[in-house]
Amino acid sequence: KAGVTQTPRYLIKTRGQQVTLSCSPISGHRSVSWYQQTPGQGLQFLFEYFSETQRNKGNFPGRFSGRQFSNSRSEMNVSTLELGDSALYLCASRRSTDTQYFGPGTRLTVL
Amino acid sequence: KNEVEQSPQNLTAQEGEFITINCSYSVGISALHWLQQHPGGGIVSLFMLSSGKKKHGRLIATINIQEKHSSLHITASHPRDSAVYICAVLNTDKLIFGTGTRLQVFP
């Protein structure tokens, strides 16, 4: 079974731009969660989608948004990028209450 | 005070040593995860547990719900175990992460 895939793996943007990251979960997994990892704050939960609905949301500003498609693939969008948005963005998928399987991450650098 | 605390922050060991990493939490949880992160960023879920003890190969994870404490043990450590180990608790369906323990095992 293929693992969780994320595209792109690396991304460089400038302040004020917007970015869209993509996550394809493991086949059969309907839940996709997104996380941000920075050296200062560590790993933080962004949001979770299940069957195209946002089920849970972390404490991030409205510039961070996401969506999930009918095939369970998910995208997250960050608008009006700030330097502090530079981070590793990880997504993880799971079937229901099972363990989460993480993707390799997208490393975003904001200049 | 962080809701999930790990100790130690850094750990060095010689190959073959027995290693223990501790995790304490202050919130109600439905499960606790132990994760391993190698340089480059990839995260692997090692264990998810809500009670008792689990073993997988040389790794053992225990949890004491009453004391809000979990431990990850590595027996007969090996240089390939060098990684960051992260404790995460599931609270109202959200994962809250510890800051991680950086382990280096030298041959």
Side-chain angles (χ1 to χ4, degrees):
Chain A
K1 216 183 229 185
V4 178
T5 57
Q6 291 186 246
T7 56
R9 292 293 311 279
Y10 302 91
L11 204 48
I12 299 174
K13 292 284 188 179
T14 54
R15 274 182 301 175
Q17 286 187 309
Q18 75 157 15
V19 67
T20 299
L21 311 181
S22 181
C23 172
S24 293
I26 291 172
S27 177
H29 287 194
R30 292 162 66 190
S31 166
V32 174
S33 296
W34 288 89
Y35 303 93
Q36 181 197 64
Q37 186 176 35
T38 60
Q41 299 296 319
L43 270 162
Q44 293 182 281
F45 170 75
L46 277 157
F47 28 66
E48 181 191 13
Y49 285 87
F50 183 86
S51 292
E52 301 178 66
T53 302
Q54 187 179 86
R55 190 156 73 169
N56 234 323
K57 192 176 190 307
N59 296 324
F60 279 82
R63 300 186 297 108
F64 291 81
S65 63
R67 58 179 176 167
Q68 187 179 34
F69 301 95
S70 57
N71 62 357
S72 293
R73 190 177 70 85
S74 178
E75 288 181 348
M76 70 161 277
N77 185 77
V78 189
S79 62
T80 320
L81 284 166
E82 300 175 0
L83 294 179
D85 297 333
S86 294
L88 179 68
Y89 290 89
L90 292 151
C91 80
S93 75
R94 59 177 173 153
R95 215 187 307 267
S96 55
T97 55
D98 287 352
T99 193
Q100 297 203 16
Y101 294 86
F102 286 82
T106 293
R107 190 165 295 280
L108 172 65
T109 302
V110 182
L111 302 175
Chain B
K1 192 179 189 300
N2 291 335
E3 293 167 305
V4 182
E5 299 271 3
Q6 281 186 242
S7 64
Q9 282 190 300
N10 294 284
L11 190 51
T12 58
Q14 288 296 125
E15 184 172 356
E17 283 186 6
F18 180 85
I19 287 159
T20 296
I21 300 170
N22 295 299
C23 174
S24 296
Y25 53 92
S26 57
V27 295
I29 71 168
S30 52
L32 182 144
H33 295 251
W34 279 103
L35 311 171
Q36 180 193 57
Q37 186 171 33
H38 281 281
I43 290 180
V44 173
S45 180
L46 299 173
F47 295 102
M48 182 177 79
L49 61 165
S50 52
S51 65
K53 177 178 172 177
K54 286 192 176 179
K55 184 175 190 291
H56 186 254
R58 295 180 294 107
L59 302 178
I60 303 166
T62 63
I63 187 168
N64 185 319
I65 297 292
Q66 286 73 33
E67 294 187 4
K68 295 191 172 183
H69 181 268
S70 175
S71 292
L72 176 68
H73 305 286
I74 305 175
T75 62
S77 59
H78 190 276
R80 66 174 173 265
D81 297 327
S82 297
V84 176
Y85 292 83
I86 302 167
C87 168
V89 300
L90 194 60
N91 171 263
T92 58
D93 264 349
K94 300 178 193 178
L95 276 180
I96 306 172
F97 298 88
T99 52
T101 295
R102 186 175 300 276
L103 170 66
Q104 286 184 291
V105 182
F106 294 99

Coordinates of all heavy atoms in Angstrom, one line a residue, chain B residues 16-97:
Chain B
G16 N 24.2 -0.5 22.7 CA 23.9 -1.5 23.6 C 23.2 -1.1 24.9 O 22.7 -1.9 25.6
E17 N 23.3 0.2 25.2 CA 22.7 0.7 26.4 C 21.2 0.6 26.4 O 20.5 0.7 25.3 CB 23.2 2.1 26.7 CG 24.6 2.2 27.2 CD 24.9 3.6 27.6 OE1 24.1 4.5 27.6 OE2 26.1 3.9 27.9
F18 N 20.6 0.6 27.6 CA 19.1 0.6 27.8 C 18.8 2.1 27.9 O 19.4 2.8 28.7 CB 18.8 -0.2 29.0 CG 17.3 -0.2 29.3 CD1 16.5 -1.2 28.7 CD2 16.7 0.7 30.2 CE1 15.1 -1.2 29.0 CE2 15.4 0.6 30.5 CZ 14.6 -0.3 29.9
I19 N 17.8 2.5 27.2 CA 17.4 3.9 27.2 C 15.9 4.1 27.6 O 15.1 3.3 27.2 CB 17.6 4.5 25.7 CG1 19.0 4.6 25.4 CG2 16.8 5.8 25.6 CD1 19.4 4.7 24.0
T20 N 15.7 5.2 28.4 CA 14.4 5.5 28.8 C 14.1 7.0 28.5 O 14.9 7.8 28.9 CB 14.2 5.2 30.3 OG1 14.3 3.8 30.5 CG2 12.8 5.7 30.7
I21 N 13.0 7.2 27.9 CA 12.5 8.6 27.6 C 11.1 8.7 28.3 O 10.3 7.8 28.2 CB 12.4 8.9 26.1 CG1 13.7 8.7 25.4 CG2 11.8 10.3 25.9 CD1 13.7 8.7 23.9
N22 N 11.0 9.8 29.0 CA 9.8 10.0 29.8 C 8.9 11.1 29.3 O 9.3 12.1 28.7 CB 10.1 10.4 31.3 CG 10.8 9.3 31.9 OD1 10.3 8.2 32.1 ND2 12.1 9.5 32.4
C23 N 7.6 11.0 29.5 CA 6.6 11.9 29.0 C 5.5 12.1 30.1 O 4.9 11.1 30.6 CB 5.9 11.4 27.7 SG 4.6 12.4 27.1
S24 N 5.3 13.3 30.5 CA 4.2 13.6 31.5 C 3.3 14.6 30.8 O 3.7 15.5 30.1 CB 4.8 14.3 32.7 OG 5.6 13.3 33.4
Y25 N 2.0 14.5 31.2 CA 1.0 15.3 30.5 C 0.0 15.8 31.6 O -0.2 15.2 32.7 CB 0.3 14.6 29.4 CG -0.3 13.3 29.8 CD1 -1.6 13.2 30.2 CD2 0.4 12.1 29.6 CE1 -2.2 12.0 30.5 CE2 -0.1 10.9 30.0 CZ -1.4 10.8 30.4 OH -1.9 9.6 30.8
S26 N -0.6 16.9 31.3 CA -1.5 17.5 32.3 C -3.0 17.6 31.9 O -3.8 18.2 32.6 CB -1.0 18.9 32.7 OG -0.9 19.8 31.6
V27 N -3.3 17.1 30.7 CA -4.6 17.2 30.2 C -5.2 15.8 30.1 O -4.5 14.8 30.2 CB -4.7 17.8 28.8 CG1 -4.2 19.3 28.9 CG2 -3.8 17.1 27.8
G28 N -6.6 15.8 30.0 CA -7.2 14.5 29.8 C -6.9 14.0 28.4 O -6.8 14.8 27.5
I29 N -6.7 12.7 28.3 CA -6.4 12.1 27.0 C -7.2 10.9 26.7 O -7.7 10.2 27.6 CB -4.8 11.8 26.9 CG1 -4.5 10.6 27.7 CG2 -4.0 13.0 27.3 CD1 -3.1 10.0 27.4
S30 N -7.3 10.6 25.4 CA -7.9 9.3 25.0 C -6.9 8.4 24.5 O -7.1 7.2 24.4 CB -9.0 9.6 23.9 OG -8.4 10.3 22.9
A31 N -5.7 8.9 24.1 CA -4.6 8.0 23.7 C -3.3 8.8 23.7 O -3.3 10.0 23.8 CB -4.8 7.4 22.3
L32 N -2.2 8.1 23.7 CA -0.9 8.7 23.7 C -0.1 8.0 22.6 O -0.1 6.8 22.4 CB -0.2 8.5 25.1 CG 1.2 9.2 25.2 CD1 1.4 9.7 26.7 CD2 2.3 8.2 24.9
H33 N 0.6 8.9 21.9 CA 1.5 8.4 20.8 C 2.9 8.6 21.1 O 3.3 9.6 21.7 CB 1.2 9.2 19.5 CG -0.2 9.0 18.9 ND1 -0.5 8.2 17.8 CD2 -1.4 9.4 19.4 CE1 -1.8 8.3 17.5 NE2 -2.4 9.0 18.5
W34 N 3.7 7.7 20.6 CA 5.2 7.9 20.6 C 5.6 7.9 19.1 O 5.2 7.0 18.4 CB 5.9 6.8 21.3 CG 6.0 7.0 22.8 CD1 5.2 6.3 23.7 CD2 6.8 7.9 23.5 NE1 5.5 6.8 25.0 CE2 6.5 7.8 24.9 CE3 7.8 8.9 23.1 CZ2 7.1 8.5 25.9 CZ3 8.4 9.6 24.1 CH2 8.1 9.4 25.5
L35 N 6.3 9.0 18.7 CA 6.7 9.2 17.3 C 8.2 9.3 17.2 O 8.8 9.7 18.2 CB 6.1 10.5 16.8 CG 4.6 10.7 17.0 CD1 4.2 12.1 16.6 CD2 3.7 9.7 16.2
Q36 N 8.7 8.9 16.1 CA 10.1 9.0 15.8 C 10.3 9.8 14.6 O 9.7 9.6 13.6 CB 10.7 7.6 15.6 CG 12.2 7.5 15.3 CD 12.6 6.1 14.8 OE1 12.1 5.7 13.8 NE2 13.5 5.5 15.5
Q37 N 11.2 10.8 14.7 CA 11.5 11.7 13.6 C 13.0 11.7 13.3 O 13.8 12.0 14.1 CB 11.1 13.1 13.9 CG 11.2 14.0 12.7 CD 10.6 15.4 12.9 OE1 10.5 15.9 14.0 NE2 10.0 16.0 11.8
H38 N 13.3 11.3 12.1 CA 14.7 11.2 11.6 C 15.1 12.6 11.0 O 14.2 13.3 10.5 CB 14.9 10.1 10.7 CG 15.1 8.8 11.4 ND1 16.3 8.4 12.0 CD2 14.2 7.7 11.6 CE1 16.1 7.2 12.5 NE2 14.9 6.8 12.3
P39 N 16.4 12.9 10.9 CA 16.8 14.1 10.2 C 16.2 14.1 8.8 O 16.1 13.0 8.1 CB 18.3 13.9 10.1 CG 18.7 13.0 11.2 CD 17.5 12.1 11.4
G40 N 15.7 15.2 8.3 CA 15.0 15.2 7.0 C 13.5 15.4 7.2 O 12.8 15.8 6.3
G41 N 13.1 15.0 8.4 CA 11.7 15.4 8.8 C 10.7 14.3 8.9 O 9.7 14.4 9.6
G42 N 10.9 13.1 8.2 CA 9.9 12.1 8.2 C 9.5 11.6 9.6 O 10.4 11.3 10.4
I43 N 8.3 11.4 9.9 CA 7.8 11.0 11.2 C 7.2 9.6 11.0 O 6.4 9.4 10.1 CB 6.8 12.0 11.8 CG1 7.5 13.3 12.2 CG2 6.1 11.4 13.0 CD1 6.5 14.3 12.8
V44 N 7.6 8.7 12.0 CA 7.0 7.4 12.0 C 6.3 7.2 13.3 O 6.8 7.6 14.4 CB 8.1 6.3 11.9 CG1 7.5 4.9 12.1 CG2 8.7 6.4 10.5
S45 N 5.1 6.7 13.3 CA 4.4 6.4 14.6 C 4.9 5.1 15.1 O 4.8 4.1 14.4 CB 2.9 6.4 14.3 OG 2.2 6.2 15.5
L46 N 5.4 5.1 16.3 CA 5.9 3.9 16.9 C 4.8 3.2 17.7 O 4.7 1.9 17.6 CB 7.1 4.2 17.9 CG 8.3 4.9 17.3 CD1 9.3 5.3 18.4 CD2 9.0 4.0 16.3
F47 N 4.1 3.9 18.5 CA 3.1 3.3 19.4 C 1.9 4.3 19.5 O 2.1 5.5 19.5 CB 3.6 3.0 20.8 CG 4.7 2.0 20.9 CD1 6.0 2.3 21.0 CD2 4.4 0.6 20.8 CE1 7.0 1.4 21.1 CE2 5.4 -0.3 20.9 CZ 6.7 0.0 21.1
M48 N 0.7 3.7 19.6 CA -0.4 4.4 20.1 C -1.0 3.6 21.3 O -1.2 2.4 21.1 CB -1.5 4.6 19.1 CG -2.7 5.4 19.6 SD -3.9 5.7 18.3 CE -4.8 4.2 18.3
L49 N -1.1 4.1 22.5 CA -1.6 3.4 23.6 C -2.5 4.2 24.5 O -2.3 5.4 24.6 CB -0.4 2.7 24.4 CG 0.7 3.5 25.1 CD1 1.4 2.6 26.1 CD2 1.6 4.1 24.1
S50 N -3.4 3.5 25.1 CA -4.3 4.1 26.0 C -4.2 3.5 27.4 O -4.8 4.0 28.4 CB -5.7 4.1 25.5 OG -6.1 2.8 25.2
S51 N -3.6 2.4 27.5 CA -3.4 1.8 28.8 C -2.3 0.7 28.7 O -2.0 0.2 27.6 CB -4.7 1.1 29.3 OG -5.0 0.0 28.5
G52 N -1.7 0.4 29.9 CA -0.8 -0.7 30.0 C 0.6 -0.5 29.2 O 1.3 0.5 29.4
K53 N 0.9 -1.5 28.4 CA 2.2 -1.6 27.9 C 2.1 -2.2 26.5 O 1.3 -3.1 26.2 CB 3.0 -2.5 28.8 CG 4.4 -2.9 28.4 CD 5.0 -3.8 29.5 CE 6.3 -4.4 29.2 NZ 6.9 -5.2 30.3
K54 N 3.0 -1.7 25.6 CA 3.1 -2.3 24.3 C 4.6 -2.6 23.9 O 5.4 -1.8 24.4 CB 2.5 -1.4 23.2 CG 0.9 -1.4 23.2 CD 0.4 -0.8 22.0 CE -1.1 -0.9 22.0 NZ -1.7 -0.2 20.8
K55 N 4.8 -3.6 23.2 CA 6.2 -3.9 22.8 C 6.3 -4.2 21.3 O 5.4 -4.8 20.7 CB 6.7 -5.2 23.6 CG 8.1 -5.6 23.4 CD 8.4 -6.8 24.3 CE 9.9 -7.1 24.3 NZ 10.5 -7.6 23.1
H56 N 7.3 -3.7 20.7 CA 7.6 -3.9 19.3 C 9.1 -4.0 19.1 O 9.8 -3.0 19.1 CB 7.0 -2.8 18.4 CG 7.1 -3.1 16.9 ND1 8.0 -2.5 16.1 CD2 6.4 -4.0 16.2 CE1 7.8 -2.9 14.9 NE2 6.9 -3.9 14.9
G57 N 9.5 -5.2 18.9 CA 11.0 -5.4 18.8 C 11.7 -5.0 20.0 O 11.4 -5.5 21.1
R58 N 12.7 -4.1 19.8 CA 13.5 -3.6 21.0 C 12.8 -2.4 21.7 O 13.3 -1.9 22.7 CB 14.8 -3.2 20.5 CG 15.7 -4.3 20.0 CD 17.1 -3.9 19.5 NE 16.9 -3.0 18.3 CZ 17.1 -1.7 18.4 NH1 17.5 -1.1 19.5 NH2 17.0 -1.0 17.3
L59 N 11.6 -2.0 21.2 CA 11.0 -0.8 21.8 C 9.8 -1.3 22.7 O 9.1 -2.2 22.4 CB 10.4 0.1 20.7 CG 11.4 0.6 19.7 CD1 10.7 1.4 18.7 CD2 12.5 1.4 20.4
I60 N 9.7 -0.6 23.9 CA 8.6 -0.9 24.8 C 8.0 0.5 25.2 O 8.8 1.4 25.6 CB 9.1 -1.6 26.1 CG1 9.8 -2.9 25.7 CG2 8.0 -1.9 27.0 CD1 10.6 -3.5 26.8
A61 N 6.7 0.6 25.2 CA 6.1 1.8 25.7 C 5.1 1.4 26.8 O 4.4 0.4 26.7 CB 5.3 2.5 24.6
T62 N 5.1 2.2 27.8 CA 4.2 2.0 29.0 C 3.4 3.3 29.2 O 3.9 4.4 28.9 CB 4.9 1.6 30.2 OG1 5.8 2.7 30.6 CG2 5.8 0.3 30.0
I63 N 2.3 3.2 29.8 CA 1.5 4.4 30.2 C 0.8 4.1 31.6 O 0.3 3.0 31.8 CB 0.5 4.8 29.1 CG1 -0.1 6.1 29.5 CG2 -0.5 3.7 28.9 CD1 -0.9 6.7 28.4
N64 N 0.9 5.1 32.4 CA 0.2 5.1 33.7 C -0.9 6.2 33.7 O -0.5 7.4 33.8 CB 1.1 5.2 34.9 CG 0.5 5.1 36.2 OD1 -0.7 5.6 36.4 ND2 1.1 4.4 37.1
I65 N -2.1 5.9 33.4 CA -3.2 6.9 33.3 C -3.4 7.7 34.6 O -3.5 8.9 34.5 CB -4.5 6.2 32.8 CG1 -4.3 5.6 31.5 CG2 -5.6 7.2 32.8 CD1 -4.1 6.5 30.3
Q66 N -3.3 7.0 35.7 CA -3.5 7.7 37.0 C -2.5 8.7 37.2 O -2.8 9.8 37.7 CB -3.6 6.7 38.1 CG -4.8 5.8 38.2 CD -4.9 4.8 37.1 OE1 -3.9 4.3 36.7 NE2 -6.1 4.5 36.7
E67 N -1.2 8.4 36.9 CA -0.1 9.3 37.1 C 0.1 10.2 36.0 O 1.0 11.1 36.0 CB 1.2 8.5 37.5 CG 1.0 7.8 38.8 CD 2.4 7.1 39.2 OE1 3.4 7.3 38.5 OE2 2.4 6.4 40.2
K68 N -0.6 10.1 34.9 CA -0.4 10.9 33.7 C 1.0 10.9 33.2 O 1.7 11.9 33.0 CB -0.9 12.3 33.9 CG -2.4 12.4 34.2 CD -2.9 13.8 34.1 CE -4.5 13.7 34.2 NZ -5.1 15.1 34.1
H69 N 1.5 9.7 33.0 CA 2.9 9.5 32.7 C 3.1 8.3 31.7 O 2.4 7.3 31.8 CB 3.7 9.3 34.0 CG 5.2 9.1 33.7 ND1 5.8 7.9 33.5 CD2 6.2 10.0 33.6 CE1 7.1 8.1 33.3 NE2 7.4 9.3 33.4
S70 N 4.0 8.5 30.8 CA 4.4 7.4 29.9 C 5.9 7.3 29.7 O 6.6 8.3 29.8 CB 3.7 7.6 28.5 OG 4.1 6.7 27.6
S71 N 6.4 6.1 29.4 CA 7.8 6.0 29.2 C 8.0 5.2 27.9 O 7.2 4.3 27.6 CB 8.5 5.2 30.3 OG 8.5 6.0 31.5
L72 N 9.0 5.5 27.2 CA 9.5 4.8 26.0 C 10.8 4.2 26.3 O 11.8 4.9 26.7 CB 9.6 5.7 24.8 CG 10.1 5.0 23.5 CD1 9.1 4.0 23.0 CD2 10.4 6.0 22.4
H73 N 11.0 2.9 26.2 CA 12.2 2.2 26.5 C 12.8 1.6 25.2 O 12.0 1.1 24.4 CB 12.1 1.1 27.5 CG 11.4 1.5 28.8 ND1 12.0 2.2 29.8 CD2 10.1 1.3 29.2 CE1 11.2 2.4 30.8 NE2 10.1 1.9 30.5
I74 N 14.1 1.8 25.1 CA 14.8 1.1 23.9 C 15.8 0.2 24.6 O 16.7 0.6 25.3 CB 15.5 2.1 23.0 CG1 14.5 3.2 22.5 CG2 16.2 1.4 21.8 CD1 15.1 4.3 21.7
T75 N 15.7 -1.1 24.3 CA 16.7 -2.1 24.8 C 17.7 -2.3 23.7 O 17.5 -2.2 22.5 CB 16.0 -3.4 25.1 OG1 15.5 -4.0 23.9 CG2 14.9 -3.2 26.1
A76 N 19.0 -2.5 24.2 CA 20.1 -2.8 23.3 C 20.2 -1.8 22.2 O 20.0 -2.1 21.0 CB 20.0 -4.2 22.7
S77 N 20.3 -0.5 22.6 CA 20.3 0.6 21.6 C 21.3 0.4 20.5 O 22.4 -0.2 20.7 CB 20.5 1.9 22.3 OG 21.7 2.0 23.0
H78 N 21.0 1.0 19.4 CA 21.9 0.9 18.2 C 22.0 2.3 17.5 O 21.1 3.1 17.6 CB 21.2 -0.1 17.2 CG 22.1 -0.5 16.1 ND1 22.2 0.3 14.9 CD2 22.9 -1.5 15.9 CE1 23.0 -0.3 14.1 NE2 23.5 -1.4 14.6
P79 N 23.1 2.6 16.8 CA 23.2 3.9 16.2 C 22.0 4.3 15.3 O 21.7 5.4 15.2 CB 24.5 3.8 15.4 CG 25.3 2.8 16.2 CD 24.4 1.8 16.8
R80 N 21.4 3.3 14.7 CA 20.2 3.6 13.8 C 19.0 4.1 14.6 O 18.0 4.5 14.0 CB 19.8 2.4 13.0 CG 19.3 1.2 13.7 CD 18.8 0.1 12.7 NE 18.4 -1.1 13.5 CZ 19.3 -2.1 13.7 NH1 20.5 -2.1 13.1 NH2 18.9 -3.2 14.4
D81 N 19.1 3.9 16.0 CA 18.0 4.5 16.8 C 18.1 6.0 17.0 O 17.2 6.6 17.6 CB 18.0 3.8 18.2 CG 17.7 2.3 18.1 OD1 16.9 1.9 17.2 OD2 18.3 1.6 18.9
S82 N 19.2 6.6 16.5 CA 19.5 8.0 16.7 C 18.4 8.8 15.9 O 18.2 8.6 14.7 CB 20.8 8.4 16.1 OG 21.8 7.8 16.9
A83 N 17.6 9.6 16.6 CA 16.5 10.3 16.1 C 15.9 11.2 17.2 O 16.4 11.2 18.3 CB 15.4 9.3 15.6
V84 N 14.9 11.9 16.8 CA 14.1 12.7 17.8 C 12.9 11.9 18.1 O 12.2 11.4 17.2 CB 13.7 14.1 17.3 CG1 12.9 14.8 18.4 CG2 15.0 14.9 17.1
Y85 N 12.6 11.6 19.4 CA 11.4 10.9 19.8 C 10.4 11.9 20.4 O 10.8 12.7 21.3 CB 11.8 9.8 20.8 CG 12.6 8.7 20.2 CD1 14.0 8.9 20.0 CD2 12.0 7.6 19.6 CE1 14.8 7.9 19.3 CE2 12.8 6.6 19.0 CZ 14.1 6.8 18.8 OH 14.9 5.8 18.2
I86 N 9.2 11.8 19.9 CA 8.2 12.8 20.3 C 7.0 12.1 20.9 O 6.5 11.1 20.4 CB 7.7 13.6 19.1 CG1 8.9 14.3 18.4 CG2 6.7 14.6 19.5 CD1 8.6 14.9 17.0
C87 N 6.6 12.6 22.1 CA 5.4 12.1 22.7 C 4.2 13.0 22.3 O 4.4 14.3 22.3 CB 5.6 12.1 24.3 SG 4.2 11.9 25.3
A88 N 3.1 12.5 22.0 CA 1.9 13.3 21.6 C 0.7 12.7 22.3 O 0.5 11.5 22.2 CB 1.8 13.4 20.1
V89 N -0.2 13.6 22.8 CA -1.4 13.1 23.5 C -2.6 13.5 22.7 O -2.6 14.6 22.1 CB -1.5 13.5 24.9 CG1 -0.3 13.0 25.8 CG2 -1.6 15.0 25.1
L90 N -3.6 12.6 22.6 CA -4.8 12.9 21.9 C -5.8 13.5 22.9 O -6.3 12.8 23.8 CB -5.3 11.6 21.3 CG -6.4 11.8 20.2 CD1 -5.9 12.6 19.0 CD2 -6.9 10.4 19.7
N91 N -6.1 14.8 22.7 CA -7.0 15.5 23.6 C -8.1 16.1 22.8 O -7.8 16.9 21.9 CB -6.2 16.6 24.4 CG -7.1 17.5 25.2 OD1 -7.4 18.6 24.7 ND2 -7.5 17.1 26.4
T92 N -9.4 15.8 23.0 CA -10.5 16.2 22.2 C -10.2 16.1 20.7 O -10.4 17.1 20.0 CB -10.9 17.6 22.6 OG1 -9.8 18.5 22.4 CG2 -11.4 17.7 24.0
D93 N -9.7 15.0 20.4 CA -9.4 14.6 18.9 C -8.3 15.5 18.3 O -8.1 15.5 17.1 CB -10.7 14.8 18.1 CG -11.3 13.4 17.9 OD1 -10.7 12.4 18.2 OD2 -12.5 13.4 17.4
K94 N -7.6 16.2 19.2 CA -6.4 16.9 18.6 C -5.1 16.4 19.3 O -5.1 16.1 20.5 CB -6.5 18.4 19.0 CG -7.7 19.2 18.5 CD -7.6 20.6 19.0 CE -8.9 21.3 18.8 NZ -8.9 22.7 19.3
L95 N -4.1 16.3 18.5 CA -2.8 15.9 19.1 C -2.1 17.1 19.6 O -1.9 18.1 19.0 CB -1.9 15.2 18.0 CG -2.2 13.7 17.7 CD1 -1.2 13.3 16.6 CD2 -2.0 12.9 18.9
I96 N -1.6 16.9 20.9 CA -0.7 17.9 21.5 C 0.6 17.3 21.7 O 0.7 16.2 22.3 CB -1.3 18.4 22.9 CG1 -2.7 18.8 22.7 CG2 -0.4 19.5 23.5 CD1 -3.4 19.1 24.1
F97 N 1.6 18.0 21.2 CA 3.0 17.3 21.1 C 3.9 17.8 22.2 O 3.9 19.0 22.6 CB 3.6 17.7 19.8 CG 2.9 17.1 18.6 CD1 1.8 17.9 18.0 CD2 3.2 15.9 18.1 CE1 1.1 17.4 16.9 CE2 2.5 15.4 17.0 CZ 1.5 16.2 16.4

